[in-house]
Amino acid sequence: MKLATLDDGTRDGQLAVVSRDLKTAHIADGIAPSLRAALDDWAFIAPQLDALYRQLNDARGEGKARRSFDFDPARCMAPLPRASARVCGATYLHHHELQQRALGRSLPAAWREAPVLRQAASDGLHGPTRALVLAREEWGIDFGAELGIVSGDLVQGATPDAALAQIRLLLLANDVTLRTLMPDELETGFGLLLSKPATAFAPVAVTPDELGDAWTAGKAALPLRVHLNGNPVGTLEAGEDMTFNFAQLLAALARARPVAAGTIVGTGVVSNRSTRRHTPGYASIAGQRWLETIDCAEAVTPFMRFGDTVRIEMLDGNGKSLFGAIEQTLEQAAP
Amino acid sequence: MKLATLDDGTRDGQLAVVSRDLKTAHIADGIAPSLRAALDDWAFIAPQLDALYRQLNDARGEGKARRSFDFDPARCMAPLPRASARVCGATYLHHHELQQRALGRSLPAAWREAPVLRQAASDGLHGPTRALVLAREEWGIDFGAELGIVSGDLVQGATPDAALAQIRLLLLANDVTLRTLMPDELETGFGLLLSKPATAFAPVAVTPDELGDAWTAGKAALPLRVHLNGNPVGTLEAGEDMTFNFAQLLAALARARPVAAGTIVGTGVVSNRSTRRHTPGYASIAGQRWLETIDCAEAVTPFMRFGDTVRIEMLDGNGKSLFGAIEQTLEQAAP
């Protein structure tokens, strides 16, 4: 099923079920007030949401789901505006290899053995069409298309198989980075905070069964499309070059702690290697700049400029939008 | 006022008001179901809680608060078992100076200019008497006595003065670190995750007015006592050697993002310099080991062993426990 959170003025928003084609929606607050509350009690709530989802999909044009309405992504908050927890992993290692190579280094071997995880902000998460409002272009404002999952409860020490069974929802995100603020933060060893403004999420969260055969071995083998100002800059395959699958990412987190329902685990930027047949482009500007540095000794692609619009979308097996699109325009903050 | 969260089987627990002397309590779920919910709507909820708090303190022995009961810290969860967000700052820089000196380095100058902040886990926070259950002593299991505040809503770019006015509550915490797992995580630049198991919190959260004159300029000028297996190991003054006050810590976070109600900002380990008159001891074993390394070239104080009990407490101006005590025993996890 597909679930969205509508902005009703509350901090956690209002839960809605959205039709598979993303055209209609139905308020679900009679079942659970928010997605957060639904995840707290998923075994009881999910079947009720699923019944409404089936009714909504079946009823198109037949008047069965009579209180449905046109789905408007602009009304959406992030599916989880405040998650229980959020962690991002170094998953598409090609992205991190490029970074290291551009710096004249190589990726530490440990990064290939287990996912390196980063505690990320789990509150203040933004909806899909909210403007990126930042003060200075010189911060090196960069988008970052990534996937994420929302977990159920998981005991500490859970295996990847156990973790796989607890993957409740998939998400699509734009994890924004201020690239010129990042090196100082990496040096402290304390991780990224100033260099990570709010992450935005696509309009709907989807259950893994929505992916059909494309959901295999804890990976989403589907195309990811990134556009900058209407021009395609990334035509990636999220199922390729994913060094660790979602079950492994989640199990890596469970090494450190029990995982609570509503925890988001993100992949970090999706990145594919070029092949003779296909140049995938990029899901973050930094990735492209690192390639330029390696190949030509100089990065030429600029970071985002005020007025730029980034669009991030994943297509399902029928070429339709799976999560709806993230579409964010960069605006200059008022001084 | 003093507020606690009782374990009622729910994820966020049940809100209770606790008397100033920590002897009696009263369920407050008729006012707000949880502390989290109270913080979401503080301007409306706090006066109601305060009225109950006054009644509870006045009524001792007079039968006015008839549904009050004996307060039992063992029934407490963390005041906020799931916070909106949590960040820890490098505040008592003496602690970090010792770490750097023990490694033969010096503290980067930037650490003195603005607080270095670390995104920390905001879920799975533990109550005051919950056992520390960990698998291996070799991880270098260390306690860390620190203070924290809970913030209200704060806009991005807020000044320290504006931040000071949004400090809702003070907390006392045991931020546990697995010291031998820490260096690898510092090296990734992604921050601490595996090396930071669950943090535990003292039974009650207190409003700043409870500190009276000891709450000055965003600091809590009160004694902090740390005992290991009944022996005093730290007799610290939390108002001393605090390089950044809470208002500065919170404003530093607001540089990066708006701060949402219910956000915890922790100080990191409290650490005092020795004076001719007083040897403060330590609030984390690592601090003592770094001193030993600097003075004697070898750390001799062992990290925690299975069966060890750490007790952390802050005293108010009358020498009474302000927050109640954290008292945690280290147990070996079942294999």
Side-chain angles (χ1 to χ4, degrees):
Chain A
M1 60 189 159
K2 300 192 176 189
L3 302 171
T5 294
L6 304 184
D7 189 351
D8 66 347
T10 66
R11 294 174 187 269
D12 292 310
Q14 184 180 42
L15 180 61
V17 173
V18 182
S19 63
R20 183 168 290 124
D21 62 9
L22 303 178
K23 289 193 176 160
T24 58
H26 196 292
I27 298 296
D29 67 356
I31 300 172
S34 65
L35 182 54
R36 180 184 179 92
L39 287 158
D40 277 356
D41 196 14
W42 189 250
F44 180 69
I45 298 294
Q48 300 174 60
L49 294 174
D50 195 54
L52 180 57
Y53 181 63
R54 285 166 195 274
Q55 195 184 5
L56 189 64
N57 285 318
D58 292 349
R60 305 277 323 297
E62 296 171 30
K64 278 191 198 164
R66 291 174 63 182
R67 301 182 65 183
S68 66
F69 52 90
D70 288 351
F71 177 61
D72 178 7
R75 285 185 58 197
C76 288
M77 303 170 83
L80 282 172
R82 303 194 288 186
S84 295
R86 184 165 152 249
V87 164
C88 293
T91 312
Y92 292 89
L93 289 185
H94 181 241
H95 176 77
H96 302 278
E97 283 167 14
L98 288 179
Q99 178 173 28
Q100 293 301 318
R101 283 178 59 199
L103 294 166
R105 301 195 293 241
S106 58
L107 195 71
W111 290 50
R112 298 181 198 287
E113 288 156 23
V116 173
L117 300 175
R118 175 175 72 79
Q119 190 82 43
S122 59
D123 71 320
L125 305 178
H126 283 187
T129 62
R130 185 146 155 182
L132 276 170
V133 182
L134 290 161
R136 298 170 62 180
E137 286 181 351
E138 306 90 273
W139 287 343
I141 301 164
D142 194 5
F143 51 82
E146 67 172 51
L147 287 161
I149 59 99
V150 180
S151 179
D153 292 304
L154 204 60
V155 296
Q156 187 162 355
T159 62
D161 278 349
L164 187 63
Q166 290 297 310
I167 294 176
R168 301 299 192 210
L169 297 165
L170 285 150
L171 303 168
L172 179 65
N174 179 20
D175 188 62
V176 176
T177 305
L178 305 179
R179 294 286 173 187
T180 60
L181 303 187
M182 201 169 166
D184 281 354
E185 291 206 307
L186 288 173
E187 202 167 311
T188 67
F190 271 25
L192 310 176
L193 195 140
L194 276 171
S195 60
K196 286 287 183 183
T199 297
F201 287 81
V204 302
V206 307
T207 47
D209 62 291
E210 288 293 324
L211 278 67
D213 293 344
W215 178 245
T216 46
K219 298 185 184 187
L222 288 170
L224 179 68
R225 298 288 176 260
V226 184
H227 288 76
L228 185 60
N229 299 324
N231 303 312
V233 298
T235 56
L236 300 108
E237 293 295 329
E240 302 295 320
D241 303 313
M242 191 182 186
T243 307
F244 304 104
N245 65 41
F246 276 114
Q248 291 169 311
L249 281 178
L250 190 48
L253 177 59
R255 274 180 64 200
R257 59 180 74 157
V259 177
T263 296
I264 296 174
V265 181
T267 57
V269 173
V270 177
S271 182
N272 290 158
R273 292 169 204 283
S274 290
T275 63
R276 262 187 296 182
R277 296 177 54 188
H278 179 59
T279 304
Y282 54 93
S284 88
I285 296 171
Q288 177 68 6
R289 288 172 58 91
W290 294 327
L291 264 180
E292 291 163 353
T293 303
I294 294 163
D295 290 348
C296 316
E298 193 187 8
V300 294
T301 302
F303 287 116
M304 288 183 82
R305 288 172 172 155
F306 294 127
D308 281 355
T309 297
V310 61
R311 181 184 169 92
I312 297 170
E313 196 163 24
M314 177 163 266
L315 307 180
D316 67 16
N318 300 315
K320 305 286 186 185
S321 188
L322 180 62
F323 298 98
I326 297 166
E327 189 157 353
Q328 293 189 281
T329 299
L330 177 60
E331 293 178 5
Q332 185 163 22
Chain B
M1 61 187 159
K2 299 192 176 189
L3 302 171
T5 295
L6 303 184
D7 188 351
D8 66 347
T10 66
R11 294 175 186 268
D12 292 310
Q14 186 179 41
L15 181 59
V17 172
V18 182
S19 63
R20 182 167 291 123
D21 63 8
L22 304 177
K23 289 192 174 160
T24 56
H26 196 292
I27 298 295
D29 66 356
I31 300 171
S34 65
L35 181 54
R36 180 184 180 91
L39 287 158
D40 277 356
D41 197 13
W42 190 250
F44 180 69
I45 297 293
Q48 301 175 60
L49 295 174
D50 195 54
L52 180 57
Y53 181 62
R54 286 166 194 273
Q55 194 184 6
L56 189 64
N57 284 318
D58 293 347
R60 305 274 325 296
E62 296 171 31
K64 278 191 196 163
R66 291 173 64 181
R67 300 181 67 181
S68 67
F69 53 91
D70 289 350
F71 177 60
D72 178 5
R75 284 184 59 195
C76 289
M77 304 170 82
L80 282 171
R82 305 194 286 187
S84 295
R86 183 165 153 249
V87 164
C88 292
T91 312
Y92 293 89
L93 288 185
H94 181 241
H95 176 78
H96 302 278
E97 283 166 14
L98 289 178
Q99 179 173 27
Q100 293 301 320
R101 282 178 58 198
L103 293 166
R105 301 194 292 239
S106 59
L107 195 71
W111 290 50
R112 298 181 198 287
E113 289 156 22
V116 173
L117 300 174
R118 175 174 73 76
Q119 190 82 42
S122 58
D123 72 321
L125 305 178
H126 283 188
T129 62
R130 185 145 156 183
L132 274 170
V133 182
L134 291 160
R136 299 172 61 181
E137 286 181 349
E138 306 90 272
W139 287 341
I141 301 163
D142 194 5
F143 51 83
E146 67 171 51
L147 287 162
I149 58 101
V150 181
S151 179
D153 292 304
L154 204 60
V155 296
Q156 188 163 353
T159 63
D161 279 348
L164 187 63
Q166 289 297 309
I167 295 176
R168 302 299 194 209
L169 296 167
L170 285 149
L171 303 168
L172 179 65
N174 179 19
D175 188 64
V176 177
T177 305
L178 306 178
R179 295 285 174 188
T180 59
L181 303 188
M182 200 170 167
D184 280 354
E185 291 205 307
L186 287 175
E187 201 167 312
T188 65
F190 270 25
L192 311 176
L193 195 140
L194 276 170
S195 59
K196 287 286 182 183
T199 298
F201 287 81
V204 303
V206 307
T207 47
D209 62 293
E210 288 292 325
L211 278 68
D213 294 343
W215 177 246
T216 45
K219 297 185 184 186
L222 287 171
L224 179 68
R225 298 288 175 259
V226 183
H227 287 76
L228 186 59
N229 298 325
N231 303 312
V233 298
T235 56
L236 300 109
E237 294 294 329
E240 302 295 320
D241 303 315
M242 191 183 187
T243 307
F244 305 105
N245 65 41
F246 276 114
Q248 291 170 312
L249 282 178
L250 190 48
L253 176 59
R255 274 179 65 200
R257 59 179 75 157
V259 177
T263 296
I264 296 174
V265 181
T267 58
V269 173
V270 177
S271 181
N272 289 158
R273 291 169 205 285
S274 290
T275 64
R276 264 187 295 182
R277 298 177 54 187
H278 179 60
T279 305
Y282 54 94
S284 88
I285 296 170
Q288 178 67 5
R289 290 172 57 91
W290 294 327
L291 264 180
E292 292 163 354
T293 303
I294 294 163
D295 291 347
C296 316
E298 193 187 7
V300 294
T301 302
F303 287 116
M304 289 183 81
R305 288 171 173 155
F306 294 126
D308 281 355
T309 297
V310 61
R311 182 183 168 93
I312 297 170
E313 197 163 23
M314 177 163 266
L315 306 180
D316 66 17
N318 301 316
K320 305 286 186 186
S321 188
L322 180 63
F323 298 99
I326 297 166
E327 189 156 355
Q328 294 188 280
T329 299
L330 178 59
E331 293 178 5
Q332 185 164 21

